[in-house]
Amino acid sequence: MSLLRVSNLTVETSLDGKTLVDDVSFTIDEGESVGIVGESGSGKSLSALSILSLLPNGVRKSSGTIEFKGKEIAPESLLDIRGNRISMVYQDPMTSLNPMMKIGRQIEEVLEAHNIEADPARVLLALSNVRISDPEKSANSYPHEFSGGMRQRVMIAIALLLQPDLLIADEPTTALDVTIQRQILNLVKEQKTLNNASILWISHDLGVVAEMVEKVIVMYAGRIVEVGSVKEIFENPHHPYTVGLIGSLVKRKHQQKMISIPGTPPKPWTVTEQCGFAGRCSQVLPKCTQKKPELISEGRQSFACFNPIQGGL
Amino acid sequence: MSEFKLQVTGVSKSYVSKSKERSIQALSDITFEVKKGKILGIVGESGCGKSTLSRIIAGLEAPDSGSVEVTGKPHPVISKYVMTNSQRAVQLVFQDPYSSLNPRQPIYKAIAEVVKIYNPELSEENRAQRVNDLLRRVGISQDMSNRYPHQFSGGQRQRICIARSLAANPEILLLDEPVSALDVSVRADIINLLLELKEQFDLTYIFVSHDLEIVKHVSDDIMVMNAGRVVEKGSWKEVMENPQDDYTRTLIAAMPSLNREE
Amino acid sequence: MIKVKRAERSWVIYYFKSLNGLIGFVILALLIVGSLVALFHATPYDPVAQDIKAMLKPPSWHHIFGTDQYGRDEFSRVLDGVRRSLAVSFLAVSIAAGAGLLLGVFAGYFGTFFDTLVMRVSDVFFAFPAILMALAIVSSLGHTWLDTSIAIAIVYTPIFVRVIRGPVLTLREMDYVKSARVLGFSTPRVLFKHILPNVIPIFLVQIALSLSWAILTESGLSFLGLGTQAPDASLGLMVSEAQSTAAFAWWTLVGPALALVFAVVSLNLVGDGLRDSLDPTRRSV
């Protein structure tokens, strides 16, 4: 039984039913780390937010099921699950913390919300676990006294406080400087081994995702276009979009032309009856604009393409 | 010494922070040169001073001390009170394609306005030709020239900004995080375009970015900045393969490590 | 020869797609027509002509809005009152808008000393409630419609300065303005081609709103006896005069009051319509 099973998730705008996430299905096993890679408009963040029913106003889940430990997540159990069994870290460290509350108090609040005694020792331990120097001073400080990197550490401390089964990280390092990002990535890797939590890591940066996870899901225009292990994705990608993404990471000759994908990502609801990548694909066939490709499995990989690339890079 | 297109000598700049009532040294004694036809990559994280340096090189701000010389001549600071149009040798491409074009101006006008000032000898017809030529070179088709900025994507807008800068026949093109605000799949396209245009127009580039991967790919020489100082300077190979400074080493080590061989 | 086609629909078309804007425009147009009628002395009756025999007559075919205690035709007086209100407010707002635009742009764009001076002086003006200030100025200047206009103009200039200065401060930092400067554009060019056009929408909306406030202020002053003087017709004055007759002659109050309401509401709706049509992000189509 998988820890998390998302089946046929479809998300659309509440007002006019525009599809934003189109029939997305994936699983996360216990202890497994999975990454979702995609750019803006790919639907990756919305898919993650759906898991904890945190979709913003104006957007709703229109179909599909989300099962945690074999059972669908019922609205009544959300309060228990959130922060406790499944927790989340967000992108913007500047707005994730309440500016009016001391750091220590915000951590206590999480404990209290789940009916656990707010023991100061626990708070200090949580802060030192994420390598915040001088935990006592930090606990008594306000968020604005911290840098973005420090705040993100606090967010991670809060997320891991109750030793969740699944940690969802939505672009947690995108807003950070690259050296700080390195620290956070190392920190999460460390915590993962300590906690054996599963991780769902969402990013537009394939390089970052590849470092953090075992299984990679590539999303484009609201749909999953490829799934595979990190090795498989890099050595034997099938979907032309995946190839394009990897192209930007591959060591290329200095100042020579980079592999690029012309055009811009389409809005998901404009391509629900065809392949979303068709407009930019170098391998496009007439079929691609007429029908929607389904995910085909090849071993443990799967991809949704009528004219996939075979034979590896 | 005018083998150097750009010479920056001893530039320092400090700001007084109103809230904290102390002065922040944004730049300390920055000195470097760029030869004609070369690409200098300036890399550093937030707060290192690279944006301030960009503004000073472009002339939007004056340094507290030090000088900026373009082709051997001092580069004038842009005054707020200038009454006539002037030609400037250093042009700037900004990071945010969504705020670098006047939303009320069709893109044709935005570029024609520049051509009028920098190539005043052209007749209206020739001017129109030049505008269309520039647009074509950056990959924007002629029949879109009467559209407004909001009708274009981020990548297209960045191309238009590049065309506008080129209309000024610049000696130096300063690119301040030109692809950071664009979708990942669009970045490579713009980088390729910039490299192409440099060859075509025989330009000198200064490429400012926090992304070491891109800087490494694009630059002939790299300058690393940290806390308002230049901590390392050299050819791209030297800096990447044999970094001398600790900070440079940290920066290189911080890059997500999935670099596979082509 | 390359022709630059208008690829974008004129904002005017968008304006008329806004229901508010349309209604406002229609009502305002009617009021302006009425004012012109009064201006050219084409009203059914002379607004100041008294006819004691016909005093306090309720609305009828002869007198659409009835007559007041002096036998003057209410309808003609209302038209004349609307004329005065519109004239005073248009003049006052023109002066305030012009001065405010100039000062606001200079203060916002050039900053430093000039900005501080303009803002501190505005602060002094803002410290007083508008109507009290207008009262004070009118008491010292005089009661002609010109004096009233000037008083209102002086009171409203700081509002325009503030409304313009804010956006100019923001615009000044926009990348496309910085680009214009780096491209070597002269300051006049930057101001006229890049800053002003992006300030015009807010400017127009503020004009519409200020016109409605100005009408209310003028009426308020007249009501208090400090604006238009009897026997001239002014909506505020008519309401004031109706205090003694309203109880048994409702039309003496309702006529001018309704006209005031329509004037103010129509201008507000026009302001809404302008806001909807000039801001590309709010357009309905």
Side-chain angles (χ1 to χ4, degrees), chain A residues 122-141:
Chain A
R122 273 195 84 141
V123 172
L124 296 177
L125 182 64
L127 287 173
S128 56
N129 274 345
V130 291
R131 307 218 175 287
I132 287 182
S133 52
D134 201 346
E136 198 157 336
K137 179 161 180 261
S138 304
N140 273 315
S141 310

Side-chain angles (χ1 to χ4, degrees), chain B residues 103-104 146-148 150-151, chain C residues 5-18 276-280 283-285:
Chain B
R104 300 194 162 264
N146 51 9
R147 292 199 192 170
Y148 287 81
H150 69 265
Q151 296 171 278
Chain C
K5 290 183 296 227
R6 286 297 313 262
E8 240 207 5
R9 290 160 115 186
S10 168
W11 63 267
V12 175
I13 300 182
Y14 283 109
Y15 177 86
F16 288 110
K17 282 188 181 291
S18 152
D276 284 345
S277 62
L278 288 166
D279 179 357
R283 284 178 181 161
S284 26
V285 170

Side-chain angles (χ1 to χ4, degrees), chain C residues 1 4 10 19 22 39 44 54 57 61 100 102 108 114 143 159 169 202 208 214 223 273 279:
Chain C
M1 176 97 140
V4 180
S10 168
L19 187 62
L22 190 61
L39 184 65
K57 287 255 188 282
W61 280 117
L102 212 66
F114 191 80
H143 299 160
I159 297 178
L169 276 176
I202 304 178
F223 180 90
D279 179 357

Side-chain angles (χ1 to χ4, degrees), chain C residues 98-125:
Chain C
L101 184 67
L102 212 66
L103 291 169
V105 167
F106 268 69
Y109 189 74
F110 294 108
T112 61
F113 156 77
F114 191 80
D115 185 25
T116 319
L117 179 66
V118 167
M119 288 315 286
R120 293 294 83 83
V121 171
S122 309
D123 282 344
V124 170
F125 279 77

Side-chain angles (χ1 to χ4, degrees), chain A:
Chain A
M1 176 191 66
S2 313
L3 182 66
L4 183 79
R5 175 181 293 274
V6 174
S7 312
N8 309 104
L9 175 67
T10 302
V11 173
E12 48 183 42
T13 55
S14 313
L15 201 61
D16 40 8
K18 289 187 176 148
T19 309
L20 299 166
V21 175
D22 190 358
D23 198 26
V24 160
S25 308
F26 63 90
T27 58
I28 303 178
D29 290 328
E30 234 169 284
E32 185 183 26
S33 296
V34 174
I36 303 184
V37 177
E39 40 196 336
S40 51
S42 60
K44 59 190 194 304
S45 285
L46 288 175
S47 304
L49 289 170
S50 303
I51 296 173
L52 283 176
S53 288
L54 288 173
L55 288 172
N57 264 339
V59 169
R60 56 142 204 238
K61 167 164 99 82
S62 63
S63 63
T65 55
I66 299 176
E67 289 166 55
F68 180 62
K69 288 189 179 162
K71 286 193 310 191
E72 253 194 87
I73 302 180
E76 314 85 64
S77 41
L78 271 177
L79 273 177
D80 175 52
I81 291 181
R82 285 178 184 162
N84 185 13
R85 312 270 36 92
I86 303 179
S87 62
M88 197 155 168
V89 180
Y90 306 92
Q91 175 175 344
D92 187 358
M94 298 305 169
T95 53
S96 316
L97 290 169
N98 185 338
M100 308 288 275
M101 255 194 219
K102 287 187 183 168
I103 301 280
R105 181 76 203 105
Q106 297 196 44
I107 301 178
E108 281 175 9
E109 204 186 22
V110 177
L111 294 170
E112 286 167 14
H114 289 276
N115 298 317
I116 298 175
E117 196 189 321
D119 181 15
R122 273 195 84 141
V123 172
L124 296 177
L125 182 64
L127 287 173
S128 56
N129 274 345
V130 291
R131 307 218 175 287
I132 287 182
S133 52
D134 201 346
E136 198 157 336
K137 179 161 180 261
S138 304
N140 273 315
S141 310
Y142 286 92
H144 67 262
E145 299 176 69
F146 281 10
S147 67
M150 296 269 280
R151 282 188 229 197
Q152 211 60 317
R153 285 174 194 271
V154 172
M155 291 310 297
I156 292 171
I158 291 178
L160 295 174
L161 194 59
L162 298 170
Q163 293 176 308
D165 300 306
L166 173 64
L167 170 67
I168 305 177
D170 188 2
E171 305 258 26
T173 57
T174 303
L176 302 174
D177 276 331
V178 72
T179 48
I180 309 293
Q181 173 178 269
R182 169 56 46 198
Q183 292 170 9
I184 300 291
L185 292 181
N186 290 344
L187 176 67
V188 175
K189 276 194 221 175
E190 200 183 270
Q191 295 294 316
K192 183 170 101 170
T193 20
L194 288 177
N195 271 309
N196 200 35
S198 298
I199 297 185
L200 177 61
W201 193 285
I202 295 152
S203 178
H204 66 271
D205 191 335
L206 183 51
V208 168
V209 167
E211 245 199 69
M212 301 303 292
V213 307
E214 291 123 35
K215 181 163 87 179
V216 176
I217 299 172
V218 182
M219 281 186 73
Y220 187 81
R223 243 176 269 152
I224 293 182
V225 297
E226 184 141 15
V227 182
S229 71
V230 172
K231 195 164 145 74
E232 285 159 0
I233 291 278
F234 273 85
E235 291 179 4
N236 194 15
H238 294 282
H239 198 285
Y241 175 65
T242 315
V243 174
L245 274 187
I246 295 171
S248 60
L249 284 180
V250 161
K251 244 197 195 118
R252 55 242 156 205
K253 289 221 172 54
H254 186 243
Q255 290 182 343
Q256 291 311 302
K257 238 179 153 156
M258 288 167 64
I259 300 173
S260 71
I261 311 175
T264 10
K267 306 263 187 269
W269 61 87
T270 56
V271 290
T272 46
E273 300 306 313
Q274 56 166 95
C275 171
F277 192 62
R280 307 167 76 188
C281 185
S282 52
Q283 319 236 110
V284 65
L285 302 171
K287 203 183 193 182
C288 303
T289 49
Q290 290 154 3
K291 274 181 59 174
K292 190 163 89 170
E294 299 296 329
L295 275 170
I296 314 165
S297 297
E298 212 177 77
R300 291 174 6 126
Q301 269 177 282
S302 42
F303 49 89
C305 183
F306 292 129
N307 191 14
I309 297 180
Q310 304 283 3
L313 275 183

Side-chain angles (χ1 to χ4, degrees), chain C residues 222-264:
Chain C
S222 305
F223 180 90
L224 293 172
L226 289 166
T228 317
Q229 300 293 307
D232 288 334
S234 152
L235 297 177
L237 191 57
M238 289 169 77
V239 168
S240 176
E241 288 170 349
Q243 284 178 95
S244 43
T245 56
F248 43 85
W250 58 267
W251 55 93
T252 55
L253 179 61
V254 169
L258 266 183
L260 251 179
V261 167
F262 275 119
V264 169

Side-chain angles (χ1 to χ4, degrees), chain C residues 145-159:
Chain C
W145 71 282
L146 189 63
D147 296 317
T148 318
S149 302
I150 293 176
I152 297 177
I154 293 176
V155 170
Y156 284 168
T157 302
I159 297 178

